[in-house]
Amino acid sequence: MLFAITREISSAFPHCQLTHLPRTPIDIERARAQHDAYEWVLVELGCTVRRVESDANMPDAVFVEDIAVVFPQGAVITRPGAESRCTETAGVADALARFGLPLRQVQEPGTLDGGDVLVVGREVFIGASSRTNAPGIGQLRRVLAQLGYSVRAVPVHGCLHLKSAVTTVAPQTVLINRNWVPAEAFAGLTLIDLDPDEPQAANALLVGNVVMYSAAFPKTRARLEQRGVRVKTVHVDELAKAEGGVTCCSLVFER
Ligand code: CIR
């Protein structure tokens, strides 16, 4: 069965972390409505959705992707690179434990955000970003080596996470912004470039054989469809004001 863990939008959401975007007013009710619609699309795509509660001490909790990396053999709870987000780990660990998944945890001095982890088959790309440091990458590399995955560290510049710059849209195929990550790191994969007018457009969530994708990027969407990718659009512009995209709002896994 396919599951998706999501997390309630905190009442403190307007006080979220921001790194590359200026702060603009966030309409929390509109954000919640967009988040509900996002969850319904996950259901349409075959997921059973489990929404974890949040509270006023975790403004960024909705971006649950950053708090864990889930593999069929177990999950790694991260140690988020933004200190304000460390309050988020316990609730996600509890939720994942209910699925019977063995849990490991990134330890100090490592920091790692799940948004920096891109799995393509047996290969795992980990972004060296402002949130994910070398000890964090080293710790995940050791865990994944035991599970038979190879790991490649990728420098990330100009955006928050690796998955702001590159995501999977079909088997062995990624959508990429080459200005933020070096394309050579993904040699051997099929690369689809985003439309240059839409630099934020690389974040797509592949569920089964359908890509969930923000309605804000029609030009890149057309490119994806020309390449035979099936796309389902969602309106997530209120969530994007907090620097989140479609991958950030769920942890999707088979169980
Ligand atoms: C943060 O800065 O942590 C949040 N405001 C946005 C996190 C987005 N997460 C992601 O791209 N995986």
Side-chain angles (χ1 to χ4, degrees), residues 27 83 92 170 172 190 217 220 240:
D27 178 338
E83 214 181 316
V92 175
Q172 299 296 307
T190 302
F217 309 120
T220 305

Side-chain angles (χ1 to χ4, degrees), residues 37-176:
Y38 170 96
E39 289 177 327
W40 277 110
V41 172
L42 286 171
V43 171
E44 276 174 42
L45 298 181
C47 299
T48 298
V49 177
R50 292 278 178 264
R51 185 194 287 185
V52 178
E53 288 179 353
S54 67
D55 65 40
N57 293 318
M58 43 183 85
D60 285 296
V62 64
F63 302 123
V64 68
E65 166 185 64
D66 293 321
I67 307 305
V69 189
V70 186
F71 293 90
Q73 305 89 336
V76 176
I77 304 299
T78 65
R79 190 165 169 270
E83 214 181 316
S84 69
R85 301 202 58 187
C86 293
T87 50
E88 297 173 34
T89 54
V92 175
D94 282 352
L96 286 169
R98 288 186 179 200
F99 288 91
L101 282 161
L103 302 184
R104 307 282 286 268
Q105 185 134 25
V106 175
Q107 304 292 335
E108 205 179 345
T111 63
L112 186 120
D113 278 12
D116 279 318
V117 182
L118 176 69
V119 182
V120 185
R122 302 300 291 179
E123 198 159 18
V124 181
F125 300 88
I126 308 182
S129 70
S130 60
R131 298 286 177 87
T132 296
N133 65 14
I137 294 172
Q139 289 175 35
L140 189 56
R141 186 193 293 278
R142 282 190 288 281
V143 172
L144 291 177
Q146 292 163 11
L147 303 180
Y149 291 87
S150 67
V151 166
R152 195 179 298 182
V154 181
V156 175
H157 295 291
C159 62
L160 186 58
H161 288 125
L162 179 68
K163 279 191 268 190
S164 320
V166 56
T167 53
T168 312
V169 292
Q172 299 296 307
T173 304
V174 292
L175 176 63
I176 187 166

